[in-house]
Amino acid sequence: HIVVYHPDRLMRQPWDLEELLKISEEHGIILHGKSGNRDLSDPDDRHYLRGEVAHACRSSDDTSRRLKDAMVDRARDGKPQTGSRRYGYTKNGMEIIEEEAVTIRWIFESFLNGMSLKAITADLNERGVPTAQGKRWHATNVRKLLDSRHVAGIRVFRGEEIGRGIWPGI
């Protein structure tokens, strides 16, 4: 027995269903869910389940296409990539947080003056400066910040610089 809210929550791809049907031949699996039960040994239930999974697959594909199109539109318009908050910027990536910008400038100046990533990291942690997520700094965070084109106001899409962003650079 498998208990699920709805079969399309269990699987989104037809090959996943076919794998489950193969396993079911040996074990006589019954799906239990809000929409009812599906006996995987019953040809009618397998037929309906294949239709539900095909519909879920199409829905998933449509959502993926819309998200990819929106990402392309954002990049073309010079808008920042969404995701977790970048150090130095508000969540939307458009406004500078001046206190953090001061720290970013210090990190760049220190690095250009020969200070190591390890020393910069230690200094930030000794002073109690948190990352954008409120955690301690690691050399990888500092390296990513130094390598970030976002702080320079440059929009990157799929690994390529595509021009100026519409946000201010630090």
Side-chain angles (χ1 to χ4, degrees), residues 1-11 20 29-38 40 49 52-53:
H1 296 274
I2 298 176
V3 179
V4 294
Y5 176 75
H6 193 275
D8 71 1
R9 301 286 92 198
L10 178 63
M11 60 209 112
L20 178 62
I29 296 173
I30 297 177
L31 290 179
H32 301 274
K34 186 174 182 180
S35 62
N37 300 333
R38 296 276 191 245
L40 301 185
L49 194 54
E52 289 173 341
V53 170

Side-chain angles (χ1 to χ4, degrees), residues 55-136:
H55 179 74
C57 182
R58 171 63 193 265
S59 177
S60 183
D61 289 347
D62 288 345
T63 299
S64 175
R65 179 185 41 77
R66 283 191 302 272
L67 290 173
K68 287 176 183 174
D69 288 349
M71 285 174 36
V72 169
D73 291 344
R74 287 188 68 77
R76 185 193 62 237
D77 296 342
K79 294 178 180 175
Q81 184 175 336
T82 57
S84 52
R85 185 176 81 77
R86 288 178 179 80
Y87 192 79
Y89 290 89
T90 56
K91 176 82 170 126
N92 67 7
M94 297 289 289
E95 292 91 33
I96 293 173
I97 299 172
E98 192 53 41
E99 181 181 346
E100 292 180 2
V102 168
T103 300
I104 289 173
R105 291 182 193 104
W106 176 84
I107 290 170
F108 273 85
E109 289 170 13
S110 299
F111 185 74
L112 291 172
N113 287 327
M115 196 171 184
S116 70
L117 294 177
K118 186 176 178 181
I120 293 170
T121 302
D123 188 279
L124 290 167
N125 288 327
E126 284 171 17
R127 290 189 285 139
V129 177
T131 65
Q133 286 71 40
K135 298 180 179 178
R136 291 178 51 80

